[in-house]
Structure formats: structure tokens, C-alpha cells
Amino acid sequence: MIAQINIDYALCRDPLNCRKCLSVCPSVVFVCGPTKVWKGQESDSREYKIFGRYYDKCSGCGDCVKVCPANAVQLNFVPREQLARKFREERAAQLKER
Amino acid sequence: MCWVCEKYGKGGKWYLNPENFARRLYKIRKEGKEAAGADADPQAAGMGAGVVAELVKARISGDREWENEIKREALEQAYQTHFGQVVTLDEYLQILDTAYPLAKMTCGCRRVQRGMPDEENFTCMGIGPGMYKWERWPETYRGGVEFVTPAEAKEWAMMNHKEGRVQTVDVFGTPYIGGLCQCEYPGCVAVRNRIDYDFKFLLKGHFVAKVDREKCTGCKSCLGRCQFKALNLEVYTSKAYIDLDQCFGCGLCVTACPSGAIQLLDRQSMPGLAENW
Ligand code: SF4
Ligand code: SF4
Ligand code: SF4
Ligand code: SF4
Ligand code: SF4
């Protein structure tokens, strides 16, 4: 099964300073990157956003859900074949548009 | 010689060619949208990571043709603009005599993927004229930069090698080399994408490591040095084993061996590996 990791961004307000889910994850699934880049100043830590980028590597241990102080991480699992079918359909649609 | 040497090496290794460290200073860009905060894709953070979201989808779908097409297109772009290659410590030290200025900076990959706080994360080296404009783009150099002398840089490079980080050269506008990195799996996005998804944004180095089984005592000192999953212990013979196909030629295992049992060989001298970048 493949993880579907959803972060509730209304609850996860300052991910670069918190980043507990990212630090605890044994599979290094998360990335926390900036949504804005400024000239002459660093991005505010609240302009960062966290994603389960390598969700295909998620073991399903559940630690990210447990460690999140804001209850912002939601974890669901779907059968690999179901997701594979969805992506193959996306790809077919892409090819059709060429 | 790899294809980069053929194009930009002037008969030698491209990253030892002084021309590839020189560049006229960047034009002052007109006050563009960056001044007002340009949008960035947070999922694309880290070295060569713009392609990950698509790559993961293709991987899950099982469609190899799709995966190959993503890589082909992304690499065609990357090799013209921004990619990296593994170098040995000796080569790295030579580069420090060529490149100037030298400035320690924080590592973007380990910040966005490992949450390393800036104070503990000065594991990148920005080099060349591009560094003079660092204040214009503080987010790229988050946590600030620290200009160092070549002697300080060398000491720091040797410390990084000792601690077990792989050293790489990084191109910013081919063939201009603007960065020297100290990387590891899985914190480095480029190393991780190469190992886990075979995305060749990071090229293998010009050497490969080979074990002399006569000399190897099985002491295990080299175990844990390899960031590329190429080295382990053959338990039944109690000898170190290196997968030559998988070796990136960083030399980290070589300096860890007290018996001189691992040797770095020129990749070109091994016909079976000569094109394995
Ligand atoms: S469930 Fe475990 S492996 Fe998966 S993202 Fe969360 S911490 Fe990482
Ligand atoms: S642990 Fe929760 S609040 Fe903290 S960064 Fe992760 S999702 Fe956001
Ligand atoms: S040092 Fe390695 S891990 Fe850090 S930014 Fe450079 S490539 Fe990425
Ligand atoms: S086997 Fe040795 S030289 Fe080869 S990649 Fe691993 S540590 Fe580096
Ligand atoms: S450090 Fe040298 S002697 Fe010890 S196991 Fe590795 S190769 Fe063999």
C-alpha cells in the first residue's frame, strides 16, 4: 500500500520552526521548502510549507501523526494498484494532448 | 574522461580547468517580481529536486517509458544548467587553490529534508564571483555566509572528509562551477535521487575503489563510510566487498582503511566501467 499524506496547512502554521514530523520520520519522507523567495531578505519561516514528498517511501509507522503538536498530519493508505491506475490514466491523458 | 571533460576539460578534467571557475559578474537584474516576493515551489526544494513529484508518480505507475522520458528531459535541461559530480579529496583541495572567493554556507538539502538548524548546517561551500552578490538573495544563503581563506577552506574540507561526507562540484550555468558540496545519503537530495530513483543529476566521479583481498584484514573500519550503498562486508570470507558498478569513486573508504587495502583506480582504465557515469 502507498501512503497518502495530507497536511492541514490551517493547523501547521510555522513548519520550518516546528518540523517535528520531518525530523522524526525514519524514511525521510518530508520536505519543507519556501513558497516565496525575496530579494534582499530571507523568507519568513511561516512562508515555508511541508509536504510528504517521498510518500512512496513511507513505512506507515505513524510517528509523524503522533509527534505533530497541531494534529495536522493525516495518513491514509491506498492499494498500490489503485494509485498506479490513477497515474497511468493521468499519463494517458497527457499523451493524448500532444 | 566523462562527456563534461570532453566538452569543457581542455584535455584534462573539466573541474580542474581554471576557466570553469571564471565568469563575469552577474548583471544587475532589473527590479523584478523577486523584490515583491516571487512564488517558489516548496516541493522542488533541494538540489535538482524539481522533478521528484513526477518521478514518484511514474515509479508508482510502473510505466518505465514514462519514467525514462521524465529523466531524459530533466537531464537534458540539467546538464546545460545545473548538475554535480563526485570528486576525491585531493581534487577538491586542488580546486581550493583555483577558486576564489570561498565562502562557507548552509546546506539547502539538509535544511529542507532533514530540518538541520542553520547553526549546525554550514556544510556547503559557495565559490567564485557569484558569492559577491550573496546579500541580494539571502534566502539562497539562509543563515548567512562566512568567507574563508584557502588554508581555512582546506582544513575544513579535510574535516568533512574525515567525518564521512562525499565531496562534489556543482555547476550553476554549465560549465561554471559555483559550489562545492559535502553530501550524504539520504540528507542530500541529489545523492538520494541518484540512489533511490537512478536520476543522474549527480554524476559518478573519475575513480572507482577496488579491494585488495590479500591485504584486507576484515577489520571493518571502512564499513559505514560509503554513502552510495556500494560497500559491505562479505561475512563468509571476512573481507570488505565493493560493488564496482555502484561505486562513485569518492574515496571515503580508502582513507578509513588502516591496511591500505583499498585503492582508487582510474575509471577509464576499466573498460567495463568507463562509461558508467
Ligand atoms: S508514517 Fe512514519 S514513515 Fe510514514 S511519513 Fe510518517 S513518520 Fe514517515
Ligand atoms: S509536526 Fe505538525 S505542525 Fe509541526 S511541521 Fe509537521 S505538520 Fe507542521
Ligand atoms: S551540500 Fe550536498 S546536501 Fe547540501 S545542498 Fe549541497 S548537494 Fe545538497
Ligand atoms: S565504495 Fe568507497 S569510493 Fe566507492 S562510493 Fe563507496 S566509499 Fe566511495
Ligand atoms: S578497512 Fe581495510 S582492512 Fe579493514 S575491512 Fe575495510 S578494506 Fe579490509
Side-chain angles (χ1 to χ4, degrees):
Chain A
M1 298 232 276
I2 304 268
Q4 303 282 279
I5 303 166
N6 280 308
I7 313 278
D8 186 337
Y9 297 113
L11 301 173
C12 172
R13 303 303 302 216
D14 195 358
L16 188 63
N17 279 328
C18 170
R19 63 182 180 240
K20 287 196 168 67
C21 51
L22 181 149
S23 300
V24 79
C25 175
S27 309
V28 193
V29 163
F30 294 94
V31 65
C32 184
T35 58
K36 287 262 179 221
V37 176
W38 302 82
K39 189 171 179 181
Q41 70 187 65
E42 289 184 356
S43 308
D44 191 279
S45 63
R46 280 160 305 189
E47 287 172 331
Y48 273 67
K49 219 170 182 184
I50 205 147
F51 281 94
R53 174 159 76 180
Y54 294 106
Y55 57 95
D56 57 328
K57 303 273 175 222
C58 169
S59 67
C61 70
D63 287 357
C64 53
V65 177
K66 271 177 251 158
V67 82
C68 178
N71 228 344
V73 188
Q74 240 194 40
L75 194 62
N76 292 302
F77 278 85
V78 295
R80 174 178 274 271
E81 193 36 49
Q82 183 185 324
L83 208 54
R85 214 178 311 124
K86 181 175 154 218
F87 292 152
R88 280 198 294 266
E89 278 163 19
E90 269 181 39
R91 164 74 171 167
Q94 239 184 48
L95 285 175
K96 230 178 178 175
E97 269 182 33
R98 284 190 184 169
Chain B
M1 261 192 264
C2 64
W3 61 265
V4 199
C5 295
E6 271 161 31
K7 244 177 142 173
Y8 303 107
K10 287 231 156 153
K13 286 183 185 143
W14 69 281
Y15 48 80
L16 299 178
N17 174 7
E19 279 179 21
N20 297 331
F21 295 90
R23 177 156 162 178
R24 73 193 146 95
L25 267 181
Y26 295 72
K27 282 186 282 203
I28 303 275
R29 249 191 274 173
K30 286 214 187 84
E31 288 301 323
K33 50 187 178 173
E34 285 90 350
D39 290 335
D41 176 6
Q43 281 208 80
M47 282 272 283
V51 79
V52 174
E54 280 291 290
L55 216 45
V56 168
K57 277 190 187 176
R59 223 354 114 87
I60 293 171
S61 80
D63 183 341
R64 290 308 293 246
E65 183 41 45
W66 184 15
E67 184 174 329
N68 291 339
E69 184 185 288
I70 293 169
K71 289 178 186 169
R72 203 164 50 236
E73 285 173 6
L75 289 177
E76 199 178 308
Q77 175 74 12
Y79 293 158
Q80 287 172 36
T81 52
H82 180 40
F83 66 95
Q85 184 169 38
V86 170
V87 295
T88 64
L89 178 62
D90 281 350
E91 292 173 327
Y92 193 100
L93 296 176
Q94 280 182 60
I95 291 168
L96 292 176
D97 281 326
T98 307
Y100 199 82
L102 309 167
K104 287 199 274 181
M105 55 184 277
T106 57
C107 158
C109 296
R110 279 171 284 225
R111 169 169 48 252
V112 300
Q113 222 175 224
R114 267 337 223 157
M116 291 290 286
D118 292 339
E119 319 79 75
E120 295 163 33
N121 197 26
F122 277 82
T123 47
C124 236
M125 173 83 68
I127 62 169
M131 290 312 292
Y132 290 125
K133 49 137 216 178
W134 78 271
E135 271 178 296
R136 243 185 274 161
W137 310 108
E139 178 58 25
T140 304
Y141 307 98
R142 201 178 172 91
V145 305
E146 187 189 336
F147 284 92
V148 291
T149 66
E152 285 168 334
K154 282 181 191 173
E155 199 175 310
W156 177 82
M158 289 189 278
M159 180 273 287
N160 271 293
H161 178 92
K162 195 158 179 231
E163 286 186 353
R165 296 186 184 94
V166 174
Q167 288 165 316
T168 70
V169 289
D170 298 287
V171 153
F172 294 85
T174 311
Y176 173 71
I177 300 169
L180 302 173
C181 279
Q182 349 294 316
C183 313
E184 59 212 332
Y185 178 91
C188 171
V189 178
V191 173
R192 197 213 195 147
N193 287 347
R194 178 78 203 240
I195 298 301
D196 289 353
Y197 301 91
D198 195 29
F199 181 55
K200 295 185 168 68
F201 178 92
L202 179 68
L203 299 172
K204 290 179 179 171
H206 283 76
F207 297 91
V208 283
K210 190 155 117 349
V211 179
D212 182 335
R213 294 173 60 89
E214 294 285 306
K215 284 193 188 153
C216 175
T217 62
C219 73
K220 304 183 187 166
S221 305
C222 57
L223 296 187
R225 292 288 280 177
C226 189
Q227 299 293 337
F228 297 104
K229 302 188 177 180
L231 171 65
N232 69 319
L233 190 80
E234 249 184 37
V235 179
Y236 49 97
T237 58
S238 197
K239 304 273 180 200
Y241 169 77
I242 291 175
D243 178 349
L244 292 166
D245 251 342
Q246 181 65 20
C247 172
F248 277 60
C250 69
L252 281 167
C253 56
V254 178
T255 48
C257 176
S259 312
I262 312 179
Q263 213 194 339
L264 278 186
L265 302 172
D266 194 339
R267 184 176 292 279
Q268 283 333 110
S269 70
M270 324 264 279
L273 302 174
E275 270 148 37
N276 184 349
W277 299 105

